[in-house]
Amino acid sequence: YFQRILYQYMSKFSLIAMGGTFDIIHHGHITLLSTAFEISEKVIIGLTSDEFVQKKGKNPIHKYDERLKNLTSIIFKKFPNSYFEISQLNNDFGPAVFEKEVQALVVSDETKNQGNILNKLRTERNLSPVEIIVVPMTLAKDGKRISTTRIKNSEIDSDGNLLPIDK
């Protein structure tokens, strides 16, 4: 079913946006990136600034520069020949609000309401709304979602494998 949805979008867009903190890059992030690169010629990736991450109440392990380096390196390795731009996010949307060429926003189940907010902001600026592409959450081996928090808590690894509990 998921594959079928993806095929209808294949390189459908010339420019799409997505965003995240990308503190510990895990299988869920790879799925989001993979979807983005499959459906668009160019992807703008908003990477949250250290200040914005703190405002959101998160405590990342890595500072912005290291997250940027890790994200860039993963994209070059896993998605060679992809055309992308990484932009520092100091708010929820960054360039997706102002860039009139942006045609879609890639989000996870968890952040899909952001799409409606983005389209409201774009409408206020007389820009056309973007299509919202919702990528289902990637589940770990225990059926719960893969998240940076779970990885930091040593429950799972970045592929969603359960880690042994030390007693």
Side-chain angles (χ1 to χ4, degrees):
Y1 171 73
F2 182 54
Q3 291 302 116
R4 200 171 71 236
I5 292 171
L6 276 185
Y7 290 130
Q8 76 188 48
Y9 291 119
M10 286 288 198
S11 269
K12 178 177 175 181
F13 305 105
S14 53
L15 180 64
I16 63 172
M18 62 176 290
T21 304
F22 297 97
D23 187 24
I24 299 172
I25 299 176
H26 55 67
H27 194 67
H29 292 127
I30 301 302
T31 303
L32 280 171
L33 289 164
S34 176
T35 301
F37 288 124
E38 281 175 20
I39 64 172
S40 186
E41 294 160 27
K42 180 181 178 190
V43 180
I44 294 177
I45 303 165
L47 182 62
T48 52
S49 68
D50 291 335
E51 297 75 26
F52 187 52
V53 168
Q54 284 179 324
K55 246 191 246 176
K56 290 178 84 93
K58 293 183 178 180
N59 294 311
I61 292 171
H62 303 102
K63 292 277 177 230
Y64 179 85
D65 290 344
E66 200 173 343
R67 291 184 285 118
L68 176 62
K69 191 179 79 180
N70 293 341
L71 179 58
T72 304
S73 152
I74 290 244
I75 292 171
F76 282 137
K77 193 165 81 186
K78 292 200 174 278
F79 308 101
N81 308 317
S82 294
Y83 191 56
F84 68 98
E85 177 184 309
I86 298 176
S87 158
Q88 190 176 77
L89 275 185
N90 293 303
N91 58 48
D92 278 325
F93 302 109
V97 176
F98 306 106
E99 188 70 50
K100 75 175 196 296
E101 279 80 34
V102 170
Q103 299 169 310
L105 180 69
V106 173
V107 294
S108 68
D109 282 336
E110 189 179 56
T111 58
K112 63 183 170 197
N113 65 327
Q114 296 291 74
N116 300 328
I117 299 166
L118 171 63
N119 279 332
K120 185 174 181 291
L121 293 170
R122 286 179 63 89
T123 303
E124 287 167 6
R125 287 168 175 75
N126 294 317
L127 294 172
S128 54
V130 297
E131 199 162 322
I132 309 304
I133 312 297
V134 180
V135 177
M137 297 300 285
T138 304
L139 301 181
K141 299 284 188 279
D142 62 0
K144 298 177 191 162
R145 68 187 187 86
I146 294 177
S147 71
T148 301
T149 303
R150 293 190 71 203
I151 295 166
K152 281 186 198 172
N153 291 340
S154 301
E155 293 175 45
I156 57 172
D157 65 16
S158 60
D159 289 321
N161 298 306
L162 298 177
L163 298 176
I165 300 166
D166 296 327
K167 292 196 174 182

